[in-house]
Amino acid sequence: MNSQKVLLVNPPFYRLLGSHYNANSLGIAGIAAYLNANGHDAWLYNADFLNEVDYANLRDLFDGFKDYKEYFQNENDPIWDEVVEKIIKSDAEWIGYTSYTANVTAIDIISRRVRRLEPKIKQVIGGVHATLDHNVLDKLLSIDYSIQREGEQAMLELIEGKNPKNISGVVSRDGIGLCNNGDAEVMDIDRLPFPEREKFYGMTNDEKLMVDVSYICSIRGCPYRCNYCASPFHWKRDKTQYRSPESVIEEMSLLKTNYWSRYKEYDYSASANIGKKSSLKIIDNTIVYFVDDVFTIKKNRVKKILKMMIDQNLGMNWKCEARTDHLDEEICDLMAQAGCVRVKLGFESGSDKVLRDIQKDETKMQMKRGAKMLKDAGVPFTAYFMAGFPTETDDDLKETIKFAKEIDADYYSLSVLAPYYGTKMYYDLVKKGIELDKKPWEYFFHQTGELMVNSNIKSSTLKEYLSLNALNKKKKGYI
């Protein structure tokens, strides 16, 4: 088949909140690399990118939520004009959108406008929300296909003309309803090409240097069952895959050789929800971010990766997400030696009752012990907490506040619960008669500052919880 031009789109989200997101989106970057390896012409378009060095801080994001919602009331806003114009100018024959619940409305607006202007373009939606919502095509009438779970092979077969009714993971329309072929088949992630890090559409050469390409995924999925998290349902707990240590080190070496030698004044790896008084500016060159749900799941595997980093003298700073119950003294010491500048720990709550209710399978004592081991090894950590769980009481949140102060984290990332579509918590609440399936989808943004499903917590306690931001330590800007 002739080579097809494909544009894979990360829709605007943080830009609507007054910030931006300049990192490479790994899901669509992996698909682009796979399509390009198979003879096609796939490009990445990050509509959340801005040629700026300042990021909004958490308070600014909370305050910007009202303006954010208003974008969806005016489909002729300049931001929609800009995104649609770039998509049309790309001359792509296929458009693929990466989705999560909070950006589905943006995809709806963009895809309808693309369809009106260029009806021949085929449009596909993939990612977390498309996987969890099997009937998303009933809501997004201008999208031709949705893909459930892994998108590399399904997208390749679509653009090469295979009958969508025969493609694993593809949902299509058959004239009567939706034809759903279930989840895409699991792929051997050690055999996939490394994510696309070159073909960024609509950017100048200088702007391409501003894209953080140092994100690495070494694990697909998560074997845990936290009922507020979409990952166990998106990837399926029993299908979690782990890349070999050799593959991980090879990708790190590629990054250092091909990308870290390029001039960059700023590190754009910052998540958009942190900062100083009014914004975040990080002056630093390079840092690998392992975006796995839990980088430390298999202790022996992690130790091998860390020892290889040290033995090969990579000299690369990096950060990861972890669970405290996977840590031991040896891992923490190896992390320090291997260049770890930040571990992101999902504590979520300081109440053992709440931890049981949300099926965290981790106790406050384990969390406290893990945090201490990191401190003893000299490894900084970020503590992630949430407030507003359905069964959480005011006293529970006060326990969280007390516990958060005790662990003395280097940085605190504070959220208010949003029961994401497709999670066990979401369905449990819907069964109880709680209205969650509402438009716009952007209400499912966990930093609105609004309690969605809890009336037990006092506003004064919530305010005290959110004020923990004041404890954040100014250390090199690493988050």
Side-chain angles (χ1 to χ4, degrees), residues 194-262:
F194 295 144
E196 179 60 54
R197 292 182 167 99
E198 297 286 345
K199 297 176 72 173
F200 298 116
Y201 173 73
M203 289 186 182
T204 66
N205 288 333
D206 286 342
E207 286 176 334
K208 289 178 181 179
L209 295 177
M210 297 170 68
V211 179
D212 186 342
V213 297
S214 298
Y215 283 28
I216 292 179
C217 177
S218 81
I219 302 173
R220 278 192 175 179
C222 177
Y224 286 92
R225 61 182 187 130
C226 305
N227 62 15
Y228 56 86
C229 179
S231 185
F233 308 94
H234 175 214
W235 290 110
K236 302 296 174 66
R237 292 172 59 204
D238 60 344
K239 295 183 179 180
T240 301
Q241 283 201 85
Y242 307 85
R243 283 173 58 188
S244 67
E246 292 77 12
S247 173
V248 174
I249 298 301
E250 182 184 354
E251 187 172 4
M252 291 183 73
S253 299
L254 178 145
L255 280 175
K256 186 173 183 180
T257 300
N258 296 337
Y259 298 97
W260 282 21
S261 60
R262 304 187 309 184

Side-chain angles (χ1 to χ4, degrees), residues 409-441:
D410 297 272
Y411 191 85
Y412 293 86
S413 182
L414 310 168
S415 301
V416 176
L417 173 76
Y420 283 126
Y421 180 88
T423 63
K424 182 178 185 299
M425 180 178 289
Y426 176 93
Y427 288 119
D428 286 347
L429 290 168
V430 169
K431 285 179 183 177
K432 292 179 179 178
I434 296 175
E435 179 59 43
L436 290 174
D437 193 7
K438 63 180 179 180
K439 279 276 215 170
W441 282 113

Side-chain angles (χ1 to χ4, degrees), residues 42-62:
W43 292 77
L44 300 169
Y45 169 38
N46 179 10
D48 237 355
F49 174 90
L50 282 182
N51 186 346
E52 295 180 5
V53 299
D54 290 318
Y55 288 77
N57 69 9
L58 185 64
R59 184 69 263 160
D60 290 338
L61 292 188
F62 284 168

Side-chain angles (χ1 to χ4, degrees), residues 50-335:
L50 282 182
N51 186 346
E52 295 180 5
V53 299
D54 290 318
Y55 288 77
N57 69 9
L58 185 64
R59 184 69 263 160
D60 290 338
L61 292 188
F62 284 168
D63 293 342
F65 187 63
K66 179 178 181 293
D67 294 335
Y68 167 77
K69 290 186 288 187
E70 290 178 357
Y71 277 103
F72 301 102
Q73 309 305 315
N74 177 17
E75 296 189 10
N76 295 314
D77 188 274
I79 197 167
W80 308 124
D81 294 340
E82 170 205 319
V83 174
V84 172
E85 181 181 3
K86 281 195 174 181
I87 289 174
I88 298 299
K89 283 187 175 180
S90 73
D91 292 326
E93 297 152 290
W94 290 80
I95 308 297
Y97 303 95
T98 184
S99 70
Y100 41 90
T101 300
N103 75 6
V104 169
T105 304
I107 293 171
D108 185 29
I109 292 171
I110 294 166
S111 63
R112 283 191 280 109
R113 293 188 59 174
V114 169
R115 177 51 47 89
R116 286 198 299 269
L117 292 169
E118 291 290 345
K120 291 183 180 180
I121 294 177
K122 294 294 185 183
Q123 300 187 79
V124 185
I125 184 172
V128 180
H129 189 91
T131 296
L132 298 177
D133 185 355
H134 305 311
N135 300 317
V136 71
L137 293 184
D138 284 338
K139 305 175 184 73
L140 304 180
L141 300 182
S142 293
I143 300 287
D144 298 285
Y145 308 105
S146 70
I147 295 177
Q148 298 172 153
R149 288 195 82 236
E150 299 176 277
E152 289 91 352
Q153 185 63 27
M155 192 70 179
L156 178 65
E157 292 181 8
L158 269 178
I159 69 172
E160 292 191 342
K162 184 174 179 179
N163 188 334
K165 295 180 181 179
N166 299 323
I167 302 175
S168 173
V170 170
V171 180
S172 60
R173 298 182 179 89
D174 60 9
I176 301 173
L178 298 182
C179 177
N180 187 335
N181 294 327
D183 292 336
E185 295 175 7
V186 174
M187 304 187 74
D188 182 350
I189 56 175
D190 263 355
R191 301 184 66 178
L192 291 174
F194 295 144
E196 179 60 54
R197 292 182 167 99
E198 297 286 345
K199 297 176 72 173
F200 298 116
Y201 173 73
M203 289 186 182
T204 66
N205 288 333
D206 286 342
E207 286 176 334
K208 289 178 181 179
L209 295 177
M210 297 170 68
V211 179
D212 186 342
V213 297
S214 298
Y215 283 28
I216 292 179
C217 177
S218 81
I219 302 173
R220 278 192 175 179
C222 177
Y224 286 92
R225 61 182 187 130
C226 305
N227 62 15
Y228 56 86
C229 179
S231 185
F233 308 94
H234 175 214
W235 290 110
K236 302 296 174 66
R237 292 172 59 204
D238 60 344
K239 295 183 179 180
T240 301
Q241 283 201 85
Y242 307 85
R243 283 173 58 188
S244 67
E246 292 77 12
S247 173
V248 174
I249 298 301
E250 182 184 354
E251 187 172 4
M252 291 183 73
S253 299
L254 178 145
L255 280 175
K256 186 173 183 180
T257 300
N258 296 337
Y259 298 97
W260 282 21
S261 60
R262 304 187 309 184
Y263 171 77
K264 288 203 308 182
E265 183 178 359
Y266 294 98
D267 169 24
Y268 290 86
S269 66
S271 103
N273 66 347
I274 14 241
K276 301 186 216 173
K277 292 181 180 178
S278 61
S279 65
L280 171 69
K281 184 184 293 184
I282 299 182
I283 303 176
D284 181 65
N285 270 343
T286 43
I287 178 170
V288 168
Y289 181 13
F290 290 104
V291 297
D292 313 321
D293 289 314
V294 187
F295 177 67
T296 53
I297 290 177
K298 293 188 173 183
K299 287 187 177 181
N300 289 337
R301 172 183 176 272
V302 171
K303 289 177 183 179
K304 184 174 181 180
I305 292 173
L306 298 177
K307 289 175 181 177
M308 289 178 73
M309 289 182 190
I310 297 166
D311 293 344
Q312 295 188 24
N313 195 28
L314 285 181
M316 301 172 76
N317 287 340
W318 54 275
K319 58 187 177 183
C320 69
E321 304 194 16
R323 283 173 58 106
T324 55
D325 56 347
H326 286 295
L327 300 175
D328 59 31
E329 285 83 357
E330 183 183 7
I331 286 177
C332 292
D333 288 339
L334 287 171
M335 282 180 162

